[in-house]
Amino acid sequence: MGSIDTPTITENGSTQSYAAAAPADDNQRPLASSNGAQESEATKKRRTGIHPLEVGTRVMCRWRDGKYHPVKVIERRKLQSAEPSDYEYYVHYTEFNRRLDEWVKLEQLDLDSVETVVDEKVEDKVASLKMTRHQKRKIDETHVEGHEELDAASLREHEEFTKVKNIATIELGRYEIETWYFSPFPPEYNDSLKLYFCEFCLNFMKRKEQLQRHMRKCDLKHPPGDEIYRSGTLSMFEVDGKKNKVYGQNLCYLAKLFLDHKTLYYDVDLFLFYVLCECDDRGCHMVGYFSKEKHSEESYNLACILTLPPYQRKGYGKFLIAFSYELSKKEGKVGTPERPLSDLGLLSYRGYWTRVLLDILKKHKGNISIKELSDMTAIKAEDILTTLQSLELIQYRKGQHVICADPKVLDRHLKAAGRGGLEVDVSKLIWTPYKEQS
Ligand code: ACO
Ligand code: ZN
């Protein structure tokens, strides 16, 4: 399967550095005009005539791959120089995910390709926000926590505000990581481009020296909470958001840097956090996590999932997903992830569901129903149906969905489904469901 975002890795002293994700594919657009060294008079005139560009302008922009891609100007800021027209622009690559949004210099833009100037205020972002009821509830809760006065217009403004990334990079353990999205850190952190995280308690600081001082004092060597799984060097910790509120909040601030549509910051009490770590003699280093509501009316068994960028594409995501279903099995429930899923979330879930279901179908002799598959896997029936439908393994006969699984077709799909991810060894899971604990 091709990569829809390939982090580039560079060595940075003792710290490894992770750059933001690359675009989905190579569908490079032809240049709208020649951009040669010899600038024509007409182009020069145009340059001086149209900039600074308005927010909302659509134009072609040279990306770090050296190719031009269409962008929309999201924000602009004046540079501290003598030139009154010197601005840089925060752009969204319209073909790609928002995690690629970035500040660019004027010379990266092909001004001959300037298309339109749209009035941002006319666009109704609120209507376009596809939120689940659950997320709306969370937003409402967020309002109670200090945004009570937010009406639709202010919410739109808030959306506008979060369009520009605030923190550009973070340092966490051995890694320096470029962030993907805005995260609402407390205002005193908003003037920092980089934040330094303690990899164990997840406290964050503005300066490296503060972190160094902190590391001398911090006595944590793993996430707070109970270790509920250990297999080889992998450990999973369960952290109760109510018992470890600050840790839960820190984790949410950190996670939001890589998650676009999440609104969970204050109500960590209602969640359990499952933090996956790679352990060595220096401690247990966070690789990723998922959160889970203590009580979910919608049978969600996972709220947010994240693998930190340096650890992505190694099978940890599918491990976390598999783990969430193992917990559901222990609870005797079926589960589903909270919606909406991100592009990468959907890919990972689709890959997981496909592999798990096809493995069963391959081994199973005779007919099997969606309900039986759901009982065996804890995957919600709707997710089974959409997965098998997308693989064209479902027929509708006499008012019923029937699974039609030709072994050759199954093999082909299994091959296409990619690697299985890291296995969860259920015998190593020692866990009591939340309701029983209390
Ligand atoms: N390009 C193409 N396919 C990808 C990519 C990518 N960059 N990343 C994951 N996939 C697909 C592949 O099919 C991959 O399987 P393969 O490597 O065998 O081909 C599969 O997804 C999962 O790969 P894993 O290595 O198991 O997953 P990873 O550890 O990379 O984590 C995750 C996946 C958690 C979605 C990660 O990309 C991430 O943290 N993204 C940012 C946060 C996010 O979007 N979370 C989901 C939001 S939805 C929600 O929270 C309910
Ligand atoms: Zn610490």
Side-chain angles (χ1 to χ4, degrees):
M1 202 178 285
S3 178
I4 68 160
D5 71 279
T6 319
T8 51
I9 307 165
T10 50
E11 288 293 329
N12 175 18
S14 59
T15 324
Q16 278 194 323
S17 173
Y18 279 78
D25 51 35
D26 260 359
N27 59 345
Q28 183 199 2
R29 292 269 175 90
L31 268 179
S33 67
S34 149
N35 206 25
Q38 297 270 310
E39 203 173 35
S40 74
E41 268 314 301
T43 310
K44 260 187 213 155
K45 257 194 209 138
R46 233 179 132 162
R47 272 179 179 283
T48 43
I50 56 175
H51 68 83
L53 295 174
E54 294 296 331
V55 166
T57 302
R58 289 173 188 274
V59 60
M60 300 296 281
C61 176
R62 196 176 64 245
W63 197 63
R64 59 182 79 164
D65 62 356
K67 296 170 186 168
Y68 279 80
H69 299 272
V71 299
K72 180 173 169 187
V73 174
I74 303 294
E75 191 52 282
R76 64 182 192 195
R77 68 182 175 205
K78 212 163 179 329
L79 291 172
Q80 284 178 334
S81 71
E83 283 289 308
S85 56
D86 254 356
Y87 279 81
E88 27 177 33
Y89 298 93
Y90 193 76
V91 297
H92 168 60
Y93 294 86
T94 53
E95 293 169 338
F96 306 124
N97 187 280
R98 264 170 39 127
R99 63 180 158 269
L100 299 171
D101 294 3
E102 62 178 352
W103 287 102
V104 299
K105 301 257 179 309
L106 184 66
E107 55 264 30
Q108 282 172 259
L109 302 174
D110 173 15
L111 294 181
D112 283 351
S113 68
V114 167
E115 258 180 37
T116 44
V117 175
V118 283
D119 184 1
E120 279 289 284
K121 289 175 208 104
V122 183
E123 267 182 49
D124 192 347
K125 296 262 165 32
V126 179
S128 72
L129 265 179
K130 287 186 193 146
M131 288 184 289
T132 60
R133 255 183 310 126
H134 184 68
Q135 283 178 310
K136 282 188 189 126
R137 177 162 63 75
K138 280 187 188 164
I139 284 193
D140 292 343
E141 281 162 10
T142 310
H143 293 175
V144 175
E145 298 280 343
H147 297 278
E148 304 88 330
E149 69 295 347
L150 274 193
D151 52 17
S154 335
L155 187 58
R156 191 161 56 223
E157 223 169 75
H158 172 78
E159 262 286 293
E160 274 305 304
F161 179 63
T162 64
K163 285 201 142 194
V164 179
K165 260 175 251 182
N166 44 346
I167 310 296
T169 50
I170 57 161
E171 206 174 291
L172 179 76
R174 284 191 302 133
Y175 297 107
E176 181 173 275
I177 308 168
E178 272 190 24
T179 65
W180 294 4
Y181 305 109
F182 173 91
S183 179
F185 285 95
E188 60 270 33
Y189 294 87
N190 273 346
D191 58 349
S192 331
L193 280 177
K194 182 169 176 179
L195 289 182
Y196 299 84
F197 278 81
C198 167
E199 62 167 328
F200 301 118
C201 69
L202 300 184
N203 278 343
F204 44 87
M205 284 139 261
K206 283 159 77 162
R207 286 182 295 110
K208 179 118 187 160
E209 307 79 66
Q210 288 175 303
L211 177 67
Q212 285 164 341
R213 254 199 319 272
H214 172 90
M215 295 317 288
R216 286 195 287 274
K217 287 188 308 204
C218 184
D219 44 20
L220 270 186
K221 285 285 173 272
H222 55 75
D226 303 326
E227 189 178 16
I228 58 166
Y229 179 92
R230 186 189 296 187
S231 176
T233 55
L234 271 193
S235 275
M236 185 73 102
F237 291 83
E238 183 189 62
V239 184
D240 184 329
K242 189 163 186 176
K243 293 183 194 154
N244 295 283
K245 218 177 167 92
V246 174
Y247 181 88
Q249 284 172 346
N250 289 346
L251 182 54
C252 289
Y253 283 130
L254 170 66
K256 179 64 193 69
L257 291 167
F258 306 99
L259 282 155
D260 199 3
H261 293 287
K262 290 292 165 186
T263 49
L264 158 79
Y265 311 113
Y266 304 102
D267 50 355
V268 292
D269 289 25
L270 308 178
F271 288 84
L272 295 163
F273 298 90
Y274 294 92
V275 186
L276 180 63
C277 295
E278 269 183 0
C279 305
D280 59 25
D281 50 2
R282 291 181 304 115
C284 296
H285 314 281
M286 177 179 159
V287 162
Y289 88 104
F290 69 89
S291 54
K292 176 181 164 95
E293 273 178 294
K294 290 174 181 172
H295 306 283
S296 169
E297 287 157 26
E298 297 92 339
S299 70
Y300 293 139
N301 64 352
L302 179 147
C304 296
I305 178 171
L306 168 74
T307 302
L308 288 165
Y311 299 98
Q312 286 178 6
R313 293 306 296 272
K314 297 178 198 289
Y316 290 117
K318 276 185 245 172
F319 178 93
L320 289 166
I321 293 172
F323 203 93
S324 71
Y325 284 107
E326 290 306 332
L327 298 189
S328 294
K329 285 182 200 167
K330 291 230 175 222
E331 290 173 321
K333 290 182 186 165
V334 297
T336 189
E338 193 181 310
R339 304 304 198 273
L341 296 176
S342 66
D343 56 346
L344 296 174
L346 183 62
L347 274 171
S348 306
Y349 266 97
R350 271 277 152 81
Y352 173 79
W353 289 329
T354 302
R355 183 156 281 285
V356 168
L357 296 173
L358 297 198
D359 273 343
I360 296 177
L361 291 180
K362 253 195 94 169
K363 287 181 204 136
H364 192 83
K365 307 264 181 295
N367 285 344
I368 189 163
S369 67
I370 290 176
K371 168 85 174 60
E372 283 167 314
L373 283 173
S374 179
D375 290 342
M376 290 163 85
T377 58
I379 301 173
K380 205 177 173 183
E382 283 91 326
D383 297 332
I384 296 180
L385 188 61
T386 51
T387 306
L388 295 182
Q389 272 171 338
S390 74
L391 299 170
E392 297 180 347
L393 294 176
I394 294 277
Q395 285 182 6
Y396 200 63
R397 285 190 208 146
K398 295 185 191 151
Q400 270 195 343
H401 291 293
V402 182
I403 302 170
C404 306
D406 173 337
K408 275 195 201 126
V409 179
L410 292 184
D411 277 337
R412 204 180 61 231
H413 284 315
L414 264 174
K415 230 180 188 167
R419 293 161 296 173
L422 295 167
E423 291 286 322
V424 177
D425 179 350
V426 192
S427 69
K428 307 274 168 67
L429 171 62
I430 299 166
W431 183 71
T432 324
Y434 181 74
K435 117 175 145 258
E436 293 169 33
Q437 290 172 16
S438 53

